[in-house]
Structures are given as C-alpha cells and as structure tokens.
Amino acid sequence: DQQVKQNSPSLSVQEGRISILNCDYTNSMFDYFLWYKKYPAEGPTFLISISSIKDKNEDGRFTVFLNKSAKHLSLHIVPSQPGDSAVYFCAARSGSARQLTFGSGTQLTVLP
Amino acid sequence: SAVISQKPSRDICQRGTSLTIQCQVDSQVTMMFWYRQQPGQSLTLIATANQGSEATYESGFVIDKFPISRPNLTFSTLTVSNMSPEDSSIYLCSGETGEAFFGQGTRLTVV
C-alpha cells in the first residue's frame, strides 16, 4: 500500500507559467514533508520542505502548500523555467524517524 | 550541505555474482540509508545503517541478500548478493543532516 502517492506521472508546462505538482498521503502520522528534484543519472536533490504545523512554505520560485485535512500537498513553481525539467519526488517522514517514504515521482517538462 | 560520492555509477553484472556499492561522505553523518529505485517506481528504503551496530532492514529486504557495512561515520557499503535480473535497479545511498542528501546512484543491470 503506497503511503505517498503522486498520481500524475508527467506534466508539461510552458516556460514562464506556473507548474503545480501534487502529492497525497495516507499515513496521518507523517508530520514532515519534502520535495526532491532528480535529473537523469544524478541523485535526488532537496528542494523544499514543510512541517505539519505550517500550511505554506516559500523559497524563491518554489512554494509548498500543505492541506492536512485532505492529506494533500502541492509544489508550485512560478515562473517555470526549462532548467526545472526533471522528476520531482514528494517524500514524508513521521516523528523522530529519519527515513523517508517517497512518492513515485512526476516528470515535469517545461517547454521553451 | 554534505556531499556523497557513490561508486560505481553503473555496472552490468552476470547473474549469480555480487556487487559492492560504496558511498563516501565528505563529513560525519550519524545515519545513512540505502534505497532502491526500480524502473518507473519510487525510491524504496532497503535499510538504515548506523555506525557500530547492525543495519536495520525494511520488510522484504534481508541481510543475506543486501549486507551492509558502516565502519565509520563517513563511509558505508551495500552489497547486492547472488544477483538475478530482478535486482536490476538504481541503488542510492543517503545521509541525513537536517534534510536527506543523496549520492549520484548506481545503475545496476543484471544479465
């Protein structure tokens, strides 16, 4: 049973527009959520995170929104750039446990 | 943030053989993790490796198949033993200092 789900395997967006990547989770014990970006032949790199005590965290062009009641989070990238084209993974962890549970990823393609 | 050097970056191995993957961190980290990413799927945690103790394996993964060493706070190895084509995956090591950071991954193909 997948505890973290990314239901869209791919997303295409025009350069300059907003990219919205979605993630749902089922485990109510998760209290910290992260987004990672992965280019081919590289390991995932940390992008942005949010604690369950917040509903929004912003870092430059990247904003993560958390809706605890819906067990849903989203990553907004605005404006999108061609260099943002990558696979984006949503991840979660609970309490003092440090290991992450990952979603299956969304391939974002930003078209010039 | 800390940097992990992982090697080899890729390998093609014969079934029945073993491959050891190495990860070297440029700073000391208490916890390291090993993940597997099968084609088109998510990253799945294999085990947690702490220095000075046996690795803790997740359900579905066993020490005989994936022995792990953690001799110090900057180094860890994962061995994929007695390989079969089903072991063809990307294997990733990870350390944690606040947020998890990853090595470049090892793309393993078993033929």
Side-chain angles (χ1 to χ4, degrees), chain A residues 2 32 34 36 38 41-44 46 49 89 93 98-100 102-104, chain B residues 31 33 35 37 41-43 45 48 58 90 92 96 98-100 102-104:
Chain A
Q2 267 192 299
Y32 196 76
L34 308 91
Y36 283 82
K38 185 181 185 299
E42 295 184 12
F46 170 73
S49 62
F89 289 98
R93 68 181 190 218
R98 310 313 289 176
Q99 58 265 44
L100 298 174
F102 283 86
S104 54
Chain B
M31 302 182 78
F33 306 93
Y35 290 86
Q37 185 185 13
Q41 298 191 25
S42 177
L43 282 73
L45 182 65
T48 302
E58 297 299 304
I90 298 173
L92 292 145
E96 208 249 13
E99 312 304 353
F102 288 82
Q104 306 95 311

